[in-house]
């Protein structure tokens, strides 16, 4: 594979963004008072588990690492603005995916020290749906291969991906002068990107300031 995104499918004609079906099977309901335990809840979730987050702001103290396949993290209400995963610019990658068939849906992910969402080798067929992703210091959604292989055939759909004016002050301007993208994929195959809004993905020349 070459170091480029291959077979990227960009569908500008579709406006098909229905709500996801109700959760079924093993379900864990979490409230914002359990934010400090959310990393352990995710790590301990069995394949086929859906983790439903009640409305509130979840101030994270660690990356949420999805290393077990077929785990879903979504808001209980379906309102992406009502559930916020906040990295406070101290958490490197609030959502880190290394397993297949992971679904992240119906919530907001913000203020990552690196990437709000990072998908690495083995993270095939990820579904990123109805998300608000904003204000990472580097790329907002990052997909790349690693020693465990590639991350192919994912979907980013029906989401708002943006930098706010405040978040733009945090962008890493050291590595390349403006080290950011809305969606950045290396050595990846078969991704579908549809029905998203990308806003204000640019630097303004100021040096990065890590909070």
């Amino acid at each position: 594979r070459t170091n480029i995104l291959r077979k990227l499918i960009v569908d500008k004609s579709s406006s098909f963004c229905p709500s996801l079906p109700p959760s079924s099977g093993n379900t864990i309901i979490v409230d914002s008072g359990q934010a400090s335990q959310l990393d352990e809840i995710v790590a301990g979730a069995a394949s086929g588990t859906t983790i439903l987050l009640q409305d509130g702001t979840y101030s994270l103290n660690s990356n949420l690492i999805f290393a077990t396949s077929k785990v879903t993290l979504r808001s209980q209400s379906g309102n992406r603005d009502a559930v916020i995963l906040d990295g406070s610019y101290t958490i490197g990658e609030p959502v880190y995916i290394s397993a297949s068939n992971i679904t992240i849906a119906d919530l907001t992910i913000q203020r990552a020290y690196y990437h709000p969402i990072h998908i690495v080798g083995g993270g095939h067929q990820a579904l990123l749906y109805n998300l608000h992703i904003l204000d990472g210091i580097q790329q907002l959604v990052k997909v790349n291969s690693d020693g465990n292989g590639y991350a192919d055939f994912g979907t980013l759909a029906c989401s708002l991906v943006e930098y706010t004016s405040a978040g733009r002050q945090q962008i890493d301007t050291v590595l390349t002068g403006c080290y950011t993208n809305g969606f950045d994929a290396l050595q990846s195959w078969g991704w579908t990107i549809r029905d998203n809004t990308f806003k204000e993905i640019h630097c303004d020349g100021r040096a990065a300031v890590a909070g």
Side-chain angles (χ1 to χ4, degrees):
R1 299 186 183 205
T2 56
N3 197 32
I4 58 173
L5 176 67
R6 302 175 65 187
K7 285 194 174 180
L8 173 66
I9 303 167
V10 181
D11 182 356
K12 295 182 179 179
S13 63
S14 174
S15 59
F16 189 58
C17 293
S19 299
L20 293 180
S23 61
S24 60
N26 186 36
T27 301
I28 301 172
I29 299 176
V30 180
D31 64 48
S32 59
Q34 297 171 276
S36 63
Q37 305 164 43
L38 189 54
D39 57 339
E40 297 177 0
I41 293 169
V42 169
S47 182
T49 297
T50 295
I51 302 168
L52 294 178
L53 302 181
Q54 295 183 336
D55 291 354
T57 298
Y58 294 73
S59 298
L60 302 179
N61 61 3
S62 182
N63 296 345
L64 305 182
I65 299 175
F66 292 81
T68 300
S69 65
K70 299 181 181 177
V71 172
T72 294
L73 180 72
R74 57 191 286 194
S75 67
Q76 186 176 34
S77 65
N79 179 359
R80 71 185 183 193
D81 297 318
V83 172
I84 299 170
L85 302 182
D86 187 7
S88 302
Y89 295 120
T90 61
I91 304 303
E93 292 149 339
V95 172
Y96 185 91
I97 297 173
S98 61
S100 63
N101 299 102
I102 301 300
T103 296
I104 310 295
D106 303 332
L107 48 81
T108 293
I109 308 167
Q110 66 180 25
R111 301 200 303 169
Y113 189 81
Y114 296 119
H115 322 292
I117 298 177
H118 190 184
I119 305 174
V120 299
H124 302 301
Q125 296 177 304
L127 175 60
L128 311 177
Y129 192 82
N130 188 32
L131 300 173
H132 186 188
I133 306 165
L134 68 156
D135 292 347
I137 286 180
Q138 298 182 359
Q139 287 82 42
L140 294 176
V141 179
K142 177 79 169 185
V143 183
N144 63 272
S145 62
D146 62 8
N148 295 314
Y150 304 98
D152 297 333
F153 299 105
T155 297
L156 172 64
C158 305
S159 296
L160 171 60
V161 183
E162 67 171 332
Y163 282 97
T164 65
S165 57
R168 196 172 302 107
Q169 310 308 309
Q170 309 291 333
I171 292 174
D172 186 343
T173 59
V174 175
L175 290 178
T176 63
C178 186
Y179 193 57
T180 189
N181 280 303
F183 179 87
D184 186 79
L186 306 175
Q187 295 182 298
S188 298
W189 184 282
W191 272 77
T192 296
I193 313 297
R194 68 168 183 86
D195 297 292
N196 302 292
T197 299
F198 292 84
K199 293 178 61 178
E200 303 293 344
I201 312 294
H202 64 87
C203 294
D204 63 5
R206 292 182 174 86
V209 179

